[in-house]
Amino acid sequence: MKPSTPKPTRAKTWVAFLASLPLLSACAMLPTSGPVNHSDISVGDTQPMLGLSAPGPMQNATPEQIIAGFIRACAAGYSDEFTVARSFLLSKTALDWRPDKRVQIFDTDSQLELSTNPDGSIAVKAKALGSVDENGHYTVAGSQAKLQEAFSLVKGADDQWRIAKLEDGVILSQSSFSTIYSPAPVSFLSTDSQTLVPDLRWYPKRRLPTYLVNALLEGPPEDLKGAVTSAFATGTTLRGGSVEVIDSVARVSLNLTEPLVNENQIALAYWQMESTLVGITGISRVELLDGAAPIEVSRRITSASSPRSLVMMQDGDLVRYNSGNTRELVSAQSMVGVGMGNPSISEDGEVVCFTDRSRTRLYVWSRGQSFLVFSGENVLTASIDRRNWIWTGVESDPASVSVIAPNASVLKLSTPWGDGGKLIEIHVSPDGARLAALRSTDKGPVVTVATIVRDDGGTPTALSAAKDLNISAASLLGISWLKGYSLAVLAGTENGTNVLIAPLFGPETVIPGVKDGVGIAAGTEENEIYIVTSTGELYVRSGRNWQPEATGVFSPRYPG
């Protein structure tokens, strides 16, 4: 029968410089400790997806019923290798179709709209929430975005409608996507190999360790080039195609293009792999193999967590705050005539910065003395990276930021966004690989994240790969890093504030804030998020509520 178609219907220290001590060499050292980023994943590599199934095409189904059935079968495809979903396609189409190419996510609460195009194809439309590419990177859709796909159908020799032409990838509702997929960071090395840089990916929970290992071995993504590196040489692949998990040990057999021959390389490789995999249910340890031969590790880089504490202005003094206790760092009396504000501190506590009252001068405080390091109109609150480089700028020049080296020399870097407006805040990520900026533009407030490119000595040389976060709020009051791959954003509402947890990248989570909130500071966990109000009240997140912590507070800030 002839086929037919449907009818149309870090780096030298500031303390060393300021005290005029001899400069230290900047040779890279292998860390003996560092953060291991555990992921909150609940499905192991071989665990099947339960409760997901779908029937094949009904006899004499209409084109619309074929499309609807196919979309349902795509959700079940992660359990049955898309066998049922392919039964809705012509044989050749089924062979050519690549469901892993892309996932388009639509709002579960919106209806799928099916209509017939003039060429006879069936159009599918719905409210789009986002998409995930084949590398596991999530792109959030705009608030008005629509998912639009077209399917061409023909009748086969059995007089039954089947899909003859479609785009690669699948369409999933948000509820199905949340059941099937999970976010997890892939850990790369900073350029000095002193810390890990997480790159958030979204992969199916089934065989998640395999997806993550393949992503790690693939190497740094394009947008992190120049900011990260890897202990695994280019071309290294996963032997046998999957990760084997036995007695909570993930056995990762590798086809190495370059052998891991020295103790440092091996330790770094284990650090990356363990940080990526440990924490997934069923995995508590990692064993690397070169083919079938175990790669022995003499020492592992262990997890170390040093307490991070806030700095803030309280009753005119610059203080450090930790678990309800305050310690004065710089008294108001020591800076009479200046009027301190907008404090910041380095991760190691060696560098403390603040502006004067008029925000025209930026100072570094060390050993009881202040040093003027930068001036301008409306100077930005400094962000001090883990190598103790000080990042700042002026509000009216969004086209550049200034970076002050530990020897007090100043670099000026062009910004990659270049659309005018003003700079409100900048924050370097805890790992030093990214810069987040809150900007005021003609289109409203925007949060942009750019990659920090550094040379072999750790000097920042450029900002690249700028990407705006798709934030669902019109009034943005402040930002702060939360972990290394999310931002906490304080958004104004008609009745107060919300805190938006915005991963890089993925859908945001909304937490009700406090009334009259004007600033935010975030540590590594949700219970380390602080909001300060216009009247100087400091609140901390406690369970599902906000607990009052202190009064007379302004400009709280964590390192970074």
Side-chain angles (χ1 to χ4, degrees):
M1 178 179 294
K2 183 179 180 180
S4 59
T5 59
K7 297 178 181 179
T9 38
R10 160 195 53 144
K12 309 173 187 74
T13 68
W14 276 95
V15 171
F17 171 76
L18 296 171
S20 300
L21 295 176
L23 294 176
L24 304 175
S25 66
C27 55
M29 305 270 303
L30 180 74
T32 58
S33 65
V36 174
N37 300 311
H38 296 288
S39 52
D40 303 321
I41 311 304
S42 58
V43 179
D45 192 62
T46 58
Q47 186 170 337
M49 299 298 299
L50 302 177
L52 293 175
S53 62
M58 298 184 301
Q59 187 72 14
N60 299 319
T62 66
E64 291 81 5
Q65 289 173 326
I66 292 294
I67 300 301
F70 170 73
I71 293 173
R72 283 194 300 269
C74 283
Y78 296 88
S79 295
D80 68 0
E81 309 297 338
F82 295 94
T83 299
V84 173
R86 293 181 193 278
S87 69
F88 288 86
L89 313 180
L90 286 180
S91 298
K92 185 181 184 308
T93 306
L95 290 172
D96 294 338
W97 177 56
R98 288 189 54 199
D100 58 346
K101 187 71 174 179
R102 180 180 62 163
V103 181
Q104 295 191 82
I105 307 144
F106 66 90
D107 190 343
T108 304
D109 295 331
S110 71
Q111 293 288 333
L112 280 174
E113 303 171 14
L114 275 67
S115 60
T116 305
N117 292 322
D119 64 358
S121 63
I122 302 294
V124 176
K125 296 181 181 179
K127 178 178 172 52
L129 296 182
S131 62
V132 177
D133 66 19
E134 61 185 324
N135 297 313
H137 290 122
Y138 193 115
T139 299
V140 178
S143 59
Q144 303 301 315
K146 285 278 189 180
L147 179 155
Q148 300 186 61
E149 283 292 325
F151 297 84
S152 296
L153 291 87
V154 298
K155 277 190 173 183
D158 59 357
D159 201 34
Q160 299 296 305
W161 290 109
R162 292 294 183 266
I163 299 169
K165 186 177 180 181
L166 77 167
E167 296 293 329
D168 286 330
V170 300
I171 299 172
L172 295 178
S173 68
Q174 175 60 39
S175 59
S176 293
F177 179 79
S178 297
T179 299
I180 297 164
Y181 274 71
S182 184
V186 174
S187 296
F188 295 103
L189 295 169
S190 59
T191 53
D192 62 355
S193 299
Q194 296 298 298
T195 193
L196 295 169
V197 179
D199 182 41
L200 191 63
R201 306 294 181 98
W202 297 76
Y203 288 121
K205 296 174 184 178
R206 189 182 185 208
R207 293 196 292 270
L208 180 59
T210 296
Y211 282 107
L212 293 173
V213 169
N214 283 329
L216 177 57
L217 298 179
E218 188 69 25
E222 194 62 36
D223 63 349
L224 284 177
K225 293 290 176 66
V228 300
T229 186
S230 178
F232 300 97
T234 301
T236 298
T237 58
L238 179 60
R239 187 184 187 192
S242 66
V243 174
E244 185 180 46
V245 181
I246 300 175
D247 296 331
S248 301
V249 179
R251 291 170 53 85
V252 183
S253 179
L254 303 171
N255 295 311
L256 295 170
T257 55
E258 294 180 19
L260 296 169
V261 294
N262 66 61
E263 180 181 317
N264 288 1
Q265 279 184 303
I266 294 171
L268 290 171
Y270 267 93
W271 193 23
Q272 278 188 262
M273 193 65 75
E274 288 177 334
S275 181
T276 299
L277 293 181
V278 172
I280 296 174
T281 294
I283 298 178
S284 60
R285 193 162 61 87
V286 170
E287 181 182 4
L288 297 179
L289 300 95
D290 180 358
I295 300 172
E296 302 295 339
V297 56
S298 58
R299 61 186 179 92
R300 283 178 160 86
I301 302 172
T302 57
S303 177
S305 57
S306 55
R308 303 178 80 238
S309 53
L310 287 167
V311 286
M312 59 193 188
M313 303 306 303
Q314 186 174 38
D315 301 325
D317 300 323
L318 195 162
V319 302
R320 194 166 189 167
Y321 183 86
N322 188 19
S323 302
N325 300 310
T326 59
R327 181 167 67 90
E328 181 185 286
L329 297 179
V330 189
S331 69
Q333 186 176 0
S334 66
M335 295 299 294
V336 171
V338 172
M340 296 179 294
N342 309 298
S344 54
I345 193 168
S346 61
E347 190 77 43
D348 58 13
E350 289 186 356
V351 185
V352 176
C353 289
F354 53 87
T355 69
D356 61 350
R357 185 182 294 108
S358 63
R359 284 182 58 200
T360 58
R361 293 176 176 87
L362 178 66
Y363 296 89
V364 167
W365 180 265
S366 177
R367 299 185 180 183
Q369 296 184 71
S370 62
F371 300 82
L372 176 65
V373 293
F374 186 79
S375 61
E377 187 176 351
N378 291 324
V379 172
L380 301 178
T381 301
S383 177
I384 309 170
D385 69 26
R386 67 176 184 83
R387 303 172 190 240
N388 288 353
W389 290 73
I390 299 172
W391 296 70
T392 188
V394 293
E395 187 179 281
S396 60
D397 182 15
S400 68
V401 294
S402 294
V403 192
I404 308 165
N407 64 6
S409 62
V410 181
L411 305 174
K412 201 167 186 177
L413 300 180
S414 298
T415 57
W417 38 83
D419 55 358
K422 295 180 179 180
L423 275 177
I424 309 302
E425 295 181 16
I426 57 173
H427 298 256
V428 179
S429 60
D431 48 56
R434 299 176 175 103
L435 180 73
L438 174 57
R439 307 184 294 120
S440 173
T441 73
D442 292 339
K443 298 178 182 178
V446 176
V447 178
T448 305
V449 176
T451 297
I452 300 173
V453 180
R454 300 179 189 258
D455 64 17
D456 292 341
T459 299
T461 58
L463 294 172
S464 67
K467 187 173 182 179
D468 295 341
L469 273 68
N470 207 319
I471 304 292
S472 64
S475 174
L476 304 182
L477 306 174
I479 61 174
S480 184
W481 285 96
L482 180 68
K483 299 185 179 181
Y485 53 85
S486 295
L487 287 167
V489 181
L490 184 64
T493 67
E494 289 184 5
N495 301 315
T497 58
N498 284 332
V499 175
L500 313 178
I501 309 302
L504 309 183
F505 291 88
E508 66 189 34
T509 302
V510 181
I511 301 172
V514 301
K515 189 177 181 181
D516 298 325
V518 294
I520 189 169
T524 56
E525 302 295 339
E526 193 175 303
N527 63 359
E528 295 175 330
I529 300 176
Y530 290 82
I531 296 178
V532 66
T533 70
S534 58
T535 55
E537 295 170 290
L538 184 69
Y539 291 84
V540 65
R541 185 69 175 167
S542 178
R544 299 177 63 87
N545 302 302
W546 293 95
Q547 179 74 31
E549 283 282 292
T551 59
V553 172
F554 295 95
S555 306
R557 187 151 179 149
Y558 273 103

